[in-house]
Amino acid sequence: MSGRGPARRGVLTAAAGLAAVAATAPGARAAGPSGSGAGPSRWTTSWATAQTEPTDADTVASAGLTDGLCTTNVRLSAGGAVRLRYGHAFGTVPVLVGPVTAGGLPVTFGGRRQAWIAAGASLTSDPVAGPRTAEGARLTVETRLPGPTGPLSFHRNTHASHSVDGERTTSVFLLTGVEVTGAHGPTVAVLGDSITEGVGTPDDADLRWPDQLVRRLPGSAVANLGISGNRLLLDDARFGPGGQARFDRDVLSLPGLRTVLVHLGVNDLQQPPSQTDPALVLAGYRQLVLRARDSGLRAVGATIAPFGGWTRWTPELEAVRQRINAAVRTGRVFDAVVDFDTALRDPAHPSRMLPAYDSGDGLHPNPSGHAALAAAVDRRHLL
């Protein structure tokens, strides 16, 4: 037996080395969940974006980059040690990432300054060597993409200023998350649409309602997964996969998560083709709740806010909205409910927002409206 031991170890070592090469080679694709049961991660997503596929109108993302430098400015929620996560959900070829810096400090991947991200995969960095970041800190991430990359998975509009080769953009390319170790409050992912994304608030002001929620909950980590135009039930070439289709990738893949808050539904009503059957929207919610619970998450639902005055509002759609909200308020759909409808509506005209909260289009709240949404979230429902 003792004579066979070294040979056996040699075989195992060689196999492990081949596996490592396969995992980092340009042609490699992402592996599925390991199911190792190793216990909860000490990492929590402090800032995040959700990706979509570029269209022809998205000139930089659709053309890709060669020796491009993407500078991304993020506002963290929780602080602590930092690592980065990249994603290429809609990629068709692998992309070389790096060198990368975060807060001016070098970022490595398995000890190397560069790494390949496979098509459809994610890529997580090593912990960044350096001082812990403060809660609420602003962090600048610089990512060199040697390229040519081909079309890049991206988030179209974060309502914050970034740059590509020195040119301003509000888009973020490949970077999907900044993860930290210092969260000591609620850890929440918000699966939402343009209101969650921040439409109605000025760029670079950090006045989106998830940002304002963070300031109400010290130590919390909130991942903003809002996509403008996103729906619960249907996919869209410009607005990305619907909430049901992107739930596993955008929500369940996040480390350290405790709660998901679902803020989708208004686009299912107002975007053609309009969904006029409340039962289908409620069934979509229930599917998300089941998947969240199966992963040990608490599922909180938001009522659909009033959108009277919006160009596609009709009395028929208002009736559908009211029926969906009535069912959500019963407490038999989600584990807890945030009543965004009540927080924003004008009591004299319940189909409309209070004028003081309206950005001017009847659908998207202004910064005061976003503050009202943040105030409507009960901390106890997030724990």
Side-chain angles (χ1 to χ4, degrees):
M1 294 294 291
S2 60
R4 297 176 60 187
R8 173 68 171 167
R9 286 194 296 271
V11 171
L12 292 175
T13 301
L18 290 172
V21 170
T24 56
R29 297 192 66 90
S34 65
S36 63
S41 171
R42 70 188 183 103
W43 296 95
T44 302
T45 300
S46 180
W47 172 92
T49 60
Q51 293 185 331
T52 57
E53 184 175 9
T55 66
D56 290 342
D58 303 303
T59 53
V60 174
S62 60
L65 296 171
T66 299
D67 195 27
L69 179 64
C70 300
T71 302
T72 306
N73 300 300
V74 308
R75 176 74 71 181
L76 301 180
S77 46
V82 166
R83 71 181 186 184
L84 309 181
R85 181 183 291 204
Y86 291 84
H88 201 14
F90 301 94
T92 57
V93 297
V95 172
L96 183 62
V97 175
V100 176
T101 62
L105 299 171
V107 177
T108 59
F109 305 86
R112 298 176 180 271
R113 293 300 311 277
Q114 291 182 309
W116 289 93
I117 180 170
S122 65
L123 173 68
T124 301
S125 79
D126 302 327
V128 178
R132 292 165 61 90
T133 58
E135 184 177 309
R138 187 174 292 278
L139 181 71
T140 297
V141 177
E142 292 192 333
T143 305
R144 178 70 65 180
L145 299 177
T149 64
L152 292 168
S153 305
F154 81 133
H155 185 98
R156 185 171 288 109
N157 189 359
T158 63
H159 301 278
S161 296
H162 317 289
S163 67
V164 175
D165 294 334
E167 297 292 325
R168 181 184 183 272
T169 179
T170 58
S171 299
V172 170
F173 304 88
L174 295 186
L175 184 67
T176 59
V178 178
E179 300 170 359
V180 301
T181 58
H184 55 86
T187 54
V188 185
V190 184
L191 186 73
D193 50 33
S194 57
I195 298 175
T196 295
E197 187 190 66
V199 173
T201 67
D203 289 352
D204 302 313
D206 298 319
L207 292 174
R208 298 158 289 233
W209 73 260
D211 299 318
Q212 301 199 52
L213 177 64
V214 166
R215 292 193 283 274
R216 288 185 53 236
L217 305 174
S220 62
V222 177
N224 186 333
L225 304 176
I227 298 177
S228 185
N230 203 231
R231 300 167 69 128
L232 172 68
L233 301 177
L234 297 183
D235 302 345
D236 185 273
R238 180 164 178 78
F239 303 132
Q244 291 191 107
R246 67 186 180 99
F247 189 77
D248 291 18
R249 178 183 66 246
D250 289 351
V251 175
L252 298 186
S253 67
L254 300 183
L257 193 61
R258 175 68 183 88
T259 303
V260 56
L261 195 160
V262 179
H263 182 208
L264 290 170
V266 69
N267 291 324
D268 293 81
L269 305 187
Q270 66 88 18
Q271 284 180 183
S274 294
Q275 178 54 252
T276 57
D277 185 349
L280 293 180
V281 174
L282 293 168
Y285 288 155
R286 290 188 177 97
Q287 283 298 309
L288 296 188
V289 171
L290 286 172
R291 288 153 71 186
R293 289 173 178 167
D294 285 347
S295 295
L297 303 182
R298 182 172 176 80
V300 178
T303 54
I304 301 174
F307 65 103
W310 176 249
T311 180
R312 288 193 286 268
W313 179 90
T314 67
E316 292 75 21
L317 293 180
E318 176 65 16
V320 176
R321 184 181 77 91
Q322 293 289 355
R323 289 175 63 188
I324 293 170
N325 285 350
V328 169
R329 287 190 182 104
T330 64
R332 294 194 293 269
V333 179
F334 293 96
D335 296 319
V337 177
V338 178
D339 202 338
F340 282 172
D341 175 34
T342 298
L344 292 184
R345 72 187 179 200
D346 183 347
H349 305 282
S351 67
R352 293 174 174 263
M353 270 187 283
L354 276 169
Y357 291 159
D358 192 347
S359 67
D361 63 12
L363 174 62
H364 301 100
N366 61 21
S368 295
H370 279 259
L373 295 179
V377 181
D378 190 329
R379 185 181 191 274
R380 295 171 298 177
H381 292 161
L382 305 180
L383 298 175

